[in-house]
Amino acid sequence: MTSDLLKNTLHWAGTLTLASVATFTFATWALAADEYNVNNGLTLTGNPLGLHGFDAVAMFEGDGPAIGDAVHTSEHDGVDYYFTDAEAKAKFDAAPGEYLPQFGGFCAFGVYVGKKLDGDVRYADIVDGKLYLFVNAAIFEKYLEDKEAVIAGAEDKWPGIRATPIEEL
């Protein structure tokens, strides 16, 4: 009788621990999904992937978009970022805020109009040392008509929508 009680207790304790870990892991991913533009699915570390796997450091070094490699992964705020080499990863690790795209990697023009649209590294601009992404060529052209207004408007709007799920915008 006592051994059955012990087995049941251990079973439920293990189940609750597993459920707690799963809840914590999902809660971290859900937070990242609300505040960062991430790919569907997870990386080998269990985090979502930011910048669609492109190297953020390369964007600042005039190389343009360069696809990163999972061998050179850094985690920041629950999101993984890939880099082309160990040197780029080290630069990011030393100062992630200098390389991360603004507005969690969402389209800056989308944020300006109160939406979280996908940011695409092919349509990017660096202004005052900050990386801004845009959803497509047409939106990027619209942004170029008045960069300052779009950036200022997006900066004003971002705090109010940062943690808002995409489907609620």
Side-chain angles (χ1 to χ4, degrees):
M1 180 72 113
T2 304
S3 89
D4 286 342
L5 180 60
L6 182 59
K7 284 180 190 175
N8 284 338
T9 302
L10 290 174
H11 168 77
W12 284 109
T15 302
L16 289 174
T17 301
L18 182 59
S20 298
V21 168
T23 300
F24 176 74
T25 301
F26 179 73
T28 302
W29 181 81
L31 175 65
D34 290 343
E35 296 184 15
Y36 295 95
N37 183 19
V38 295
N39 286 9
N40 289 331
L42 303 176
T43 64
L44 292 174
T45 64
N47 293 326
L49 180 63
L51 265 179
H52 298 289
F54 283 85
D55 182 336
V57 174
M59 300 293 291
F60 285 88
E61 296 186 344
D63 298 335
I67 193 74
D69 187 324
V71 171
H72 308 290
T73 300
S74 285
E75 181 273 333
H76 178 75
D77 207 13
V79 177
D80 281 351
Y81 295 91
Y82 291 168
F83 300 92
T84 55
D85 56 38
E87 183 180 338
K89 178 187 178 317
K91 286 180 180 179
F92 180 85
D93 289 342
E98 291 182 21
Y99 298 103
L100 288 170
Q102 299 302 295
F103 315 120
F106 290 104
C107 170
F109 196 90
V111 173
Y112 170 67
V113 298
K115 301 289 182 187
K116 289 181 176 175
L117 305 175
D118 190 25
D120 188 325
V121 296
R122 294 176 298 168
Y123 310 104
D125 195 17
I126 296 174
V127 177
D128 296 328
K130 295 179 180 180
L131 176 61
Y132 298 94
L133 303 177
F134 300 88
V135 68
N136 59 35
I139 293 297
F140 185 69
E141 291 300 319
K142 187 76 175 153
Y143 152 77
L144 291 175
E145 292 174 11
D146 194 355
K147 288 182 182 190
E148 293 80 17
V150 171
I151 291 171
E155 286 174 350
D156 286 345
K157 207 156 268 176
W158 181 241
I161 69 170
R162 179 178 180 156
T164 304
I166 293 168
E167 61 275 0
E168 291 180 19
L169 295 175

